[in-house]
Amino acid sequence: KNFFIDYSPIRLITYGEEKKKMISIRTEDGRTLEITKEHPVFVAPGKMKFAHSLNTNDLLLDISSQEVAIQRIEEKEYYGDVVNFSTDKDSVTEHIIFANNLAVGDQYWQASLEDHMNQVLVYMQ
């Protein structure tokens, strides 16, 4: 319900050129978040979703634990490098980070979601 804010050393940093369109999220209070399609985003009531799976009915959570409505989600061309990192923590909740004061996951979350989706796809075949 309430976030406990702490700092953590960075365990892993990756840099690389993004060759796919990005997701641009505009919130009702005027914030913009531009992230890769596979970047994890923390939504109310407390789950992670890939950015490409978000819809305007989802509610984001900000640094003060307030729900933030999404006004618009668009795909956007992007040319350049992206940076991703993973914190040096053990608990999954300690891998929640903030971008523009909105809760998202770090590289650990992204890898975990991708692994989970791959297991689901293999199981369904």
Side-chain angles (χ1 to χ4, degrees), residues 44-58:
K47 63 182 177 179
M48 283 288 183
K49 292 178 79 170
F50 286 119
H52 66 79
S53 299
L54 292 172
N55 63 63
T56 54
N57 294 324
D58 286 318

Side-chain angles (χ1 to χ4, degrees), residues 37-76:
K37 290 182 175 186
E38 293 81 22
H39 200 94
V41 179
F42 195 65
V43 298
K47 63 182 177 179
M48 283 288 183
K49 292 178 79 170
F50 286 119
H52 66 79
S53 299
L54 292 172
N55 63 63
T56 54
N57 294 324
D58 286 318
L59 295 172
L60 306 181
L61 292 169
D62 72 8
I63 202 162
S64 61
S65 299
Q66 298 299 307
E67 294 178 348
V68 179
I70 298 173
Q71 181 183 57
R72 176 176 77 241
I73 302 170
E74 300 174 318
E75 286 190 359
K76 180 178 181 180

Side-chain angles (χ1 to χ4, degrees), residues 110-125:
Q110 185 169 337
S112 296
L113 285 176
E114 288 170 353
D115 286 348
H116 178 71
M117 288 306 297
N118 289 335
Q119 291 173 11
V120 169
L121 292 174
V122 168
Y123 180 73
M124 292 176 69
Q125 293 178 354

Side-chain angles (χ1 to χ4, degrees), residues 78-125:
Y78 176 80
Y79 302 98
D81 289 340
V82 295
V83 178
N84 214 337
F85 62 89
S86 182
T87 60
D88 192 21
K89 293 290 188 171
D90 296 321
S91 164
V92 294
T93 58
E94 293 174 310
H95 286 274
I96 296 171
I97 59 176
F98 293 89
N100 275 3
N101 288 327
L102 298 169
V104 297
D106 68 0
Q107 178 65 31
Y108 172 88
W109 267 106
Q110 185 169 337
S112 296
L113 285 176
E114 288 170 353
D115 286 348
H116 178 71
M117 288 306 297
N118 289 335
Q119 291 173 11
V120 169
L121 292 174
V122 168
Y123 180 73
M124 292 176 69
Q125 293 178 354

